Amino acid sequence: MSAHLKLYNTATRQVADFQPLKPGQVGIYLCGATVQAPPHIGHVRSGVNFDILRRWLTASGFDVTFIRNVTDIDDKILHKAAHEEIPWWAVAQKYERAFTEAYRALNVLPPTYEPRATGHITQMVELMELLIANGSAYAPGNGDVYLDVRHLKSYLTLSNQKLDDLQSAEDADLTYKKDPRDFALWKAAKPGDPSWPTPWGAGRPGWHLECSAMAHAYLGETFDIHGGGLDLIFPHHENEIAQSESAGWGFANIWMHNAWVTASGEKMSKSLGNSLQVHEILKSVRGIELRWYLGSAHYRSMTEFSFAALEEASVNFRRIEGFLKRATDVLGETPEGVISSGFSEAMNEDLAVPTALAVVAEIMRLGNTALSAGDLPSVRVAAAEIRGALNILGCDPFDPIFATSNSSNTDVLDGLVALALEQRAAARDRKDFAAADAIRDQIAALGVVIEDTSAGTRWSIS
Ligand SMILES: [Zn+2]
């Protein structure tokens, strides 16, 4: 299956046959989160998209090394720490955990390695030493270290810009910079901020430097695929390339970028409110359904978010899930997943998930016909092929990761709370108020909040 995978490369702006550097192996570096707030669905889309890539490469026979970093030191983290009045590292750990939980709920496989920036300061200092030694970077003496953009042979090819067209950075202060477009590899320590010692003074790393150093540490000088969201192309990825190529490294062979989740046509941002945070949305849909929704668009297509579209995706998913369950009932077992040729062909075309889903819909149509006709061998084939497809998409309802949230946890909980409420109503009817109160208190102790309204009793989890 591996022979014909084609991928779009942002650097060449073309779809081309994927050729790994080493036969049978693929190294992928994906820019991970800056952990300074709970993830919203825009943040986790790249996790889902690149997880599908990883699963497809693995299913195609490749041994995949998948690196996704954690940016745990950054201006935004320091601001948040000041705002929440807790240490910067506590902010980073709190939100790193929130991301880990969101990825898990969405069945995004844990990366092979998940390096934190602050754990790789040594490698960053080594890279700066190399860049200063070969004249690509300079330390002006104030504790900062800058990359000299005029020294670069090629720069801005990924974003297709020219250096001359580049606006000067907002701080066009040339006290220390040789050129306003030079960017900081390292930032001198400010009083009270965390810092690490270097030969040029204490400070902390710039975001771009972190990714160059970590990608190199885990994947070597040249590796297969570097990924991230579209918004990272400039300046982040351009600057990663500038640093790494100046170090003499080949760096990434292929650049892949996922499109955004938009709201009213705009890139989803924190300011759009908390309602689109992953843990909020997971109160109304299951993780497997949110994953299905996020993964069902082509990774290079914008997804305009709406609750109606999410609901529609959930309904579509439940139909497929329903078919698999009916098939399992009549067959007496769940068939193992297999990859159909139609699905494989679609995925090999730059991960054309929408086409792959059309293939799944057609398999399900045939499967339903076979169910009605009692044609069990055909039911088995359809169920196996659908399961194979759902596995790649990370949405197999029989995947143990979904076992606890499978077949609507909420329905079960709803039933149990309703039962308890019936018992409370019965106790009240017979004027046994002590028993009624005891039931209410026990429910409350479990974290379920009961609210008596004119429309009846409602409950929620506190
Ligand atoms: Zn990065």
Side-chain angles (χ1 to χ4, degrees):
M1 274 187 294
S2 62
H4 306 297
L5 174 62
K6 294 188 181 75
L7 294 173
Y8 180 81
N9 185 351
T10 310
T12 58
R13 281 166 273 278
Q14 278 175 357
V15 175
D17 277 344
F18 172 64
Q19 298 289 354
L21 286 163
K22 290 185 205 138
Q25 293 180 32
V26 185
I28 304 177
Y29 185 91
L30 174 65
C31 289
T34 298
V35 283
Q36 48 98 17
H40 60 61
I41 57 170
H43 287 129
V44 291
R45 183 178 178 188
S46 99
V48 169
N49 285 156
F50 283 93
D51 188 57
I52 292 173
L53 169 68
R54 176 190 186 175
R55 286 168 187 261
W56 182 240
L57 286 167
T58 304
S60 302
F62 289 104
D63 178 10
V64 182
T65 303
F66 191 95
I67 310 298
R68 189 187 62 220
N69 72 293
V70 176
T71 292
D72 61 344
I73 182 73
D74 184 83
D75 283 339
K76 290 181 199 141
I77 293 171
L78 299 179
H79 289 153
K80 192 65 165 253
H83 186 250
E84 294 194 2
E85 297 181 343
I86 55 175
W88 65 274
W89 48 264
V91 170
Q93 292 207 1
K94 177 176 166 184
Y95 295 113
E96 181 184 324
R97 197 162 292 169
F99 269 86
T100 302
E101 281 167 12
Y103 288 134
R104 186 180 155 76
L106 294 174
N107 197 17
V108 174
L109 298 171
T112 315
Y113 304 110
E114 192 168 19
R116 295 187 181 115
T118 56
H120 297 77
I121 303 290
T122 309
Q123 288 87 343
M124 296 174 206
V125 172
E126 282 168 5
L127 174 53
M128 287 190 288
E129 277 172 338
L130 201 167
L131 294 175
I132 290 175
N134 74 16
S136 309
Y138 57 96
N142 67 333
D144 291 344
V145 179
Y146 293 105
L147 198 88
D148 185 347
V149 298
R150 287 172 304 182
H151 182 88
L152 298 168
K153 286 188 209 75
S154 64
Y155 184 42
L156 307 175
T157 53
L158 195 63
S159 56
N160 211 9
Q161 302 179 87
K162 291 197 176 68
L163 187 57
D164 288 343
D165 299 339
L166 202 62
Q167 295 286 323
S168 297
E170 60 274 19
D171 60 332
D173 180 2
L174 289 179
T175 320
Y176 298 109
K177 284 186 185 181
K178 293 182 186 170
D179 184 294
R181 296 162 299 193
D182 291 349
F183 60 88
L185 304 178
W186 190 261
K187 299 171 182 181
K190 292 194 189 111
D193 280 355
S195 66
W196 290 263
T198 76
W200 318 284
R204 60 189 171 84
W207 176 33
H208 317 308
L209 184 76
E210 296 173 5
C211 283
S212 282
M214 288 187 280
H216 177 253
Y218 290 87
L219 297 172
E221 295 188 359
T222 307
F223 55 92
D224 297 292
I225 299 172
H226 193 314
L230 263 187
D231 47 328
L232 299 187
I233 293 178
F234 180 81
H236 185 52
H237 289 163
E238 291 286 16
N239 291 353
E240 279 188 46
I241 293 170
Q243 296 160 163
S244 304
E245 290 189 352
S246 296
W249 304 339
F251 214 49
N253 252 1
I254 299 176
W255 285 86
M256 291 179 69
H257 293 95
N258 64 280
W260 300 333
V261 179
T262 57
S264 310
E266 300 285 321
K267 182 192 165 205
M268 190 167 285
S269 70
K270 225 170 43 168
S271 59
L272 284 165
N274 300 335
S275 61
L276 300 178
Q277 286 174 0
V278 174
H279 73 272
E280 286 297 326
I281 291 195
L282 289 179
K283 288 177 182 168
S284 54
V285 296
R286 292 177 293 155
I288 198 169
E289 292 168 355
L290 180 55
R291 162 117 189 180
W292 175 261
Y293 170 69
L294 289 172
S296 58
H298 190 270
Y299 74 93
R300 289 195 282 125
S301 305
M302 297 287 176
T303 294
E304 169 66 18
F305 179 81
S306 73
F307 282 99
L310 175 59
E311 174 60 24
E312 196 186 317
S314 301
V315 169
N316 284 337
F317 178 73
R318 277 179 239 143
R319 275 196 204 111
I320 297 171
E321 190 179 31
F323 167 75
L324 274 186
K325 285 185 176 153
R326 283 195 302 283
T328 295
D329 285 347
V330 300
L331 294 169
E333 60 169 344
T334 319
E336 284 299 314
V338 298
I339 303 292
S340 73
S341 58
F343 182 82
S344 176
E345 230 168 82
M347 293 303 285
N348 276 337
E349 281 301 321
D350 192 30
L351 310 177
V353 172
T355 313
L357 293 184
V359 171
V360 169
E362 177 59 17
I363 296 170
M364 193 170 80
R365 194 184 64 77
L366 297 173
N368 275 319
T369 307
L371 266 178
S372 312
D375 173 3
L376 294 190
S378 299
V379 171
R380 179 179 294 276
V381 169
E385 291 185 346
I386 289 176
R387 218 183 149 201
L390 293 189
N391 242 309
I392 301 299
L393 300 171
C395 293
D396 177 3
F398 298 101
D399 190 322
I401 192 118
F402 292 123
T404 50
S405 61
N406 201 9
S407 69
S408 8
N409 242 349
T410 325
D411 288 352
V412 175
L413 200 53
D414 222 3
L416 288 172
V417 175
L419 185 67
L421 292 178
E422 265 172 41
Q423 296 297 314
R424 185 175 71 131
R428 274 182 170 176
D429 287 348
R430 63 175 190 269
K431 307 233 179 307
D432 185 352
F433 297 112
D437 288 349
I439 292 171
R440 186 199 57 210
D441 293 347
Q442 283 173 32
I443 297 175
L446 293 170
V448 178
V449 180
I450 304 296
E451 207 185 328
D452 290 310
T453 72
S454 54
T457 307
R458 289 206 307 234
W459 68 271
S460 58
I461 295 176
S462 63

